[in-house]
Amino acid sequence: MTRRIFSTILITAVVAVLLASFLMAGTVYAAYEERITGELRSKADHIVQALNHLTDDEAYLADLVSSERITLINQDGVVIFDNILDEGSLSDHSDRPEVMEAIQTGAGESRRYSDSLAQMTHYIARRTQDGSILRISYTRSSIFGVFADLVPQLICMLLAVTGLSLLIARISAKMIVAPVNNLNLKAPLENDVYDELTPLLTRMDRQYTQIRQHMHDLEQAQSEINAIMEGMQEGMILLDKNNQLLTANESAAVLFDPGATPEIGAPLSALCHDDAILAIVRDAQHGKSGDALLRKDGKTHRCFASPVMHRKKIGGVVLLIMDISAQYAAEESRREFSANVSHELKTPLTAISGFAEIIRDGIARPEDIPSFAGKIHAESKRLLTLVNDILDLSRLDEKQSLGQMEEVQLLPLLHRLYESFRPIAADKGVSLTIRGTEQCIMGYPMLLEELFHNLIDNAVKYTPAGGSVTVTLAKDADHVLCTVEDTGIGIPKEHIPHIYERFYRVDKSHSRQTGGTGLGLAIVKHTAEAHGAQLTLQSTVGKGTRISVRF
Ligand code: ADP
């Protein structure tokens, strides 16, 4: 800006100085010339008058003190006197314009310029009475010569003007720019500066409003994304194309590095050290989506890495981490269950098929056939019980097929079971007692019957002769509490945590002998869950077991 102002001021000043100089010099020169010419004319007239009255012209002229050149030319054009040059050396002057004009009119004037010397000579000629011509000439600088003489002063003046222009330009630029630098850009229209800036400030105000709106929209969008990301149970990590962290939600941060705040711009390897995940992210950086399993703190996660395309190029990678522990455990237990079911079904079926084959081939002795048929019957019953238990469990797994809950009177239900177990218990020499008052709960009658059937069945099964099984129904605070207690063999401590698992048996051979499937307590657990009931098991080896269901 300073340079622009400077050049503008300088050009203006130089032009002004030159113009003023020319104008003034011209005016002064013209006035000076007019005065000199006037003086020369009157001097010429004065000398001519003197010559007209004198006889010795040359003597008069020779005595005359004059700074101008005075020449006397006779009628033939011959120079008869010259106060500066030698008359003899001068040529015929009758052809000089001023001389010719004076011969004709009595007075003549002419000016002659010398370009090379930048000088001008002014001639004034007068005719005397005797016909000779008096000429006075005065040589002075031409107007260009005058200018040439002025050049040093002009240069000095221009230098001074340049310096002054620079100073003024600097001060002006500072003064112009100061209010512009102090503009309040947040409220452009509130600035009171130059009127010329009003259109610019109006545009700035419009753009500032637009930018503020954009910023607000962006912030809102950002906070929505943040809220979504932070609300997500899945871990989410965004990486740029250089594998550096753009953002990571809390779920991801907690998973990889609990308590640490992920540093934006840090490489992924600073947060995650799992080789499989780093490998799928590397693949995603090359455009190939992939997934990997991550097992951490007893949980299973599936991680998906996908490239994020930006203008047909890979702009980064999004890594999504989902907790699939429950799904994985369910799959695992389904796999285990299928394997167990096949195994459990295979044993009785092998026995049935073996005995049937012996009978078919006539290998069995006739007296053994009833015993084999009895075994086939027993194994088939076992198979049937097993299939029923599996069906019950799968019904419990698919909660939809349970139907509607209804009011269930527990005491009559327990009495029915008592009636069916009484002969078995009596056969074994185990005393079976049902105690308590009537209690009514909301539930699935069939399932509840199955639950207590399994508990009483186990209690009777695992209590040796002479022992007792007591079923108590009571109200405990707001809850209905049903307890099945026996004085049986008890369950070793280390087995108690697994007792509700499917096909889990403490003593496999004993359980098989007693017709157990290993599914009874699994059904009890699922049924209790379906009723929102709480199961408690206390057991001491050799002393007995007590299982309570709190509804
Ligand atoms: P099972 O059909 O083998 O009885 P359960 O699921 O009902 O299968 O029981 C699992 C295991 O828990 C049994 O094999 C047994 O070892 C143990 N068990 C269950 N109830 C009792 C009990 N009242 N006393 C001692 N052991 C028991």
Side-chain angles (χ1 to χ4, degrees):
M1 185 169 211
T2 307
R3 209 180 313 150
R4 283 218 171 158
I5 295 174
F6 168 66
S7 54
T8 312
I9 292 178
L10 185 67
I11 291 167
T12 314
V14 167
V15 170
V17 164
L18 289 178
L19 273 178
S21 304
F22 280 124
L23 215 69
M24 276 174 64
T27 312
V28 170
Y29 186 82
Y32 170 73
E33 196 187 51
E34 202 177 299
R35 192 172 61 80
I36 291 289
T37 307
E39 278 176 13
L40 285 180
R41 278 183 194 140
S42 60
K43 193 171 184 177
D45 291 340
H46 185 74
I47 295 172
V48 165
Q49 268 179 17
L51 290 178
N52 287 342
H53 293 97
L54 294 171
T55 47
D56 190 356
D57 294 350
E58 282 102 286
Y60 169 71
L61 289 175
D63 289 343
L64 212 60
V65 178
S66 172
S67 55
E68 296 87 21
R69 182 182 165 202
I70 298 172
T71 313
L72 191 64
I73 305 149
N74 69 12
Q75 290 165 345
D76 304 322
V78 177
V79 177
I80 51 176
F81 176 81
D82 195 296
N83 64 343
I84 290 174
L85 299 173
D86 177 20
E87 309 83 29
S89 65
L90 295 171
S91 59
D92 186 353
H93 269 46
S94 57
D95 58 344
R96 304 295 196 270
E98 69 282 357
V99 175
M100 283 162 64
E101 197 185 341
I103 291 169
Q104 281 169 17
T105 63
E109 280 184 31
S110 78
R111 285 181 175 85
R112 282 196 283 284
Y113 294 91
S114 163
D115 285 342
S116 52
L117 294 174
Q119 283 189 330
M120 188 196 73
T121 308
H122 192 173
Y123 298 95
I124 291 173
R126 293 286 185 268
R127 195 178 62 206
T128 59
Q129 278 174 354
D130 62 0
S132 49
I133 303 297
L134 173 86
R135 189 184 75 172
I136 299 180
S137 63
Y138 176 75
T139 301
R140 61 185 179 276
S141 296
S142 69
I143 183 114
F144 304 108
V146 171
F147 275 117
D149 294 343
L150 280 175
V151 166
Q153 289 92 321
L154 264 176
I155 288 172
C156 288
M157 205 140 60
L158 288 176
L159 283 177
V161 160
T162 308
L164 207 64
S165 304
L166 197 61
L167 192 70
I168 294 171
R170 281 212 177 135
I171 294 168
S172 304
K174 258 191 198 162
M175 281 164 64
I176 292 169
V177 164
V180 176
N181 281 340
N182 292 330
L183 281 178
N184 176 8
L185 296 179
K186 285 188 177 168
L189 293 182
E190 284 173 18
N191 294 293
D192 184 17
V193 273
Y194 315 113
D195 289 348
E196 291 83 348
L197 283 185
T198 307
L200 176 72
L201 292 175
T202 313
R203 224 167 54 220
M204 279 171 74
D205 182 63
R206 217 170 32 235
Q207 284 184 352
Y208 184 71
T209 313
Q210 276 174 6
I211 289 170
R212 226 170 25 199
Q213 183 61 42
H214 281 317
M215 289 296 290
H216 177 259
D217 292 350
L218 282 175
E219 273 167 20
Q220 202 165 336
Q222 183 66 46
S223 67
E224 276 170 18
I225 290 171
N226 284 349
I228 292 169
M229 279 185 71
E230 289 313 323
M232 276 169 69
Q233 282 189 340
E234 293 82 11
M236 191 168 181
I237 295 176
L238 283 176
L239 300 163
D240 67 9
K241 59 174 185 282
N242 301 318
N243 225 2
Q244 287 174 335
L245 225 64
L246 286 176
T247 179
N249 69 356
E250 211 181 313
S251 306
V254 166
L255 174 70
F256 287 124
D257 197 357
T261 327
E263 234 175 82
I264 303 306
L268 176 65
S269 52
L271 186 69
C272 161
H273 310 291
D274 189 279
D275 289 340
I277 294 180
L278 293 176
I280 57 166
V281 169
R282 248 192 325 271
D283 286 348
Q285 294 282 15
H286 294 103
K288 194 174 151 228
S289 304
D291 66 292
L293 273 187
L294 169 71
R295 290 209 178 84
K296 212 167 180 237
D297 306 330
K299 287 190 169 185
T300 309
H301 302 267
R302 188 171 287 281
C303 308
F304 300 91
S306 310
V308 177
M309 303 307 282
H310 178 62
R311 291 188 184 145
K312 295 186 180 164
K313 280 186 180 168
I314 295 168
V317 168
V318 59
L319 185 64
L320 192 68
I321 305 137
M322 290 162 80
D323 184 351
I324 55 157
S325 308
Q327 195 188 333
Y328 195 76
E331 269 173 29
E332 195 88 311
S333 85
R334 248 197 305 277
R335 267 198 298 275
E336 209 175 296
F337 184 62
S338 309
N340 282 335
V341 165
S342 317
H343 180 73
E344 292 294 331
L345 291 175
K346 219 171 147 189
T347 318
L349 276 173
T350 314
I352 292 168
S353 151
F355 289 127
E357 206 177 333
I358 293 170
I359 296 169
R360 187 198 65 191
D361 294 346
I363 302 168
R365 290 179 300 178
E367 62 268 28
D368 291 334
I369 291 176
S371 139
F372 285 169
K375 280 178 178 153
I376 290 174
H377 180 246
E379 289 299 332
S380 310
K381 257 180 81 183
R382 213 175 109 69
L383 207 57
L384 209 62
T385 317
L386 196 65
V387 170
N388 278 335
D389 281 356
I390 292 167
L391 285 175
D392 284 343
L393 266 178
S394 64
R395 245 180 339 126
L396 282 163
D397 281 342
E398 295 162 23
K399 294 192 174 74
Q400 298 95 317
S401 55
L402 295 179
Q404 285 285 317
M405 277 195 177
E406 54 188 84
E407 276 191 4
V408 184
Q409 310 284 343
L410 287 180
L411 203 58
L413 185 147
L414 291 175
H415 275 298
R416 274 201 304 280
L417 288 170
Y418 171 77
E419 288 306 324
S420 65
F421 276 106
R422 201 162 50 115
I424 304 165
D427 276 359
K428 268 194 86 176
V430 172
S431 79
L432 177 64
T433 321
I434 306 279
R435 278 204 300 250
T437 51
E438 177 51 52
Q439 303 295 340
C440 179
I441 59 160
M442 289 300 287
Y444 306 102
M446 297 285 285
L447 289 181
L448 287 170
E449 191 161 338
E450 178 79 14
L451 184 152
F452 291 115
H453 177 280
N454 287 347
L455 290 180
I456 298 169
D457 184 36
N458 279 348
V460 172
K461 248 187 335 193
Y462 298 108
T463 302
S468 65
V469 172
T470 312
V471 182
T472 317
L473 185 62
K475 187 123 186 172
D476 171 27
D478 285 344
H479 303 282
V480 171
L481 187 73
C482 187
T483 310
V484 180
E485 196 173 356
D486 64 61
T487 55
I489 57 171
I491 305 165
K493 231 179 179 169
E494 66 274 19
H495 291 282
I496 292 177
H498 306 287
I499 213 78
Y500 297 109
E501 288 170 15
R502 293 166 191 202
F503 296 112
Y504 193 86
R505 299 166 179 112
V506 174
D507 180 348
K508 280 193 189 292
S509 57
H510 183 250
S511 168
R512 284 232 171 80
Q513 273 169 23
T514 52
T517 59
L519 292 173
L521 286 184
I523 294 172
V524 168
K525 183 187 155 204
H526 278 79
T527 307
E529 273 173 9
H531 286 85
Q534 198 190 338
L535 277 175
T536 322
L537 187 147
Q538 291 154 316
S539 187
T540 312
V541 174
K543 282 197 169 173
T545 305
R546 177 193 160 101
I547 300 179
S548 306
V549 192
R550 179 190 287 258
F551 292 95

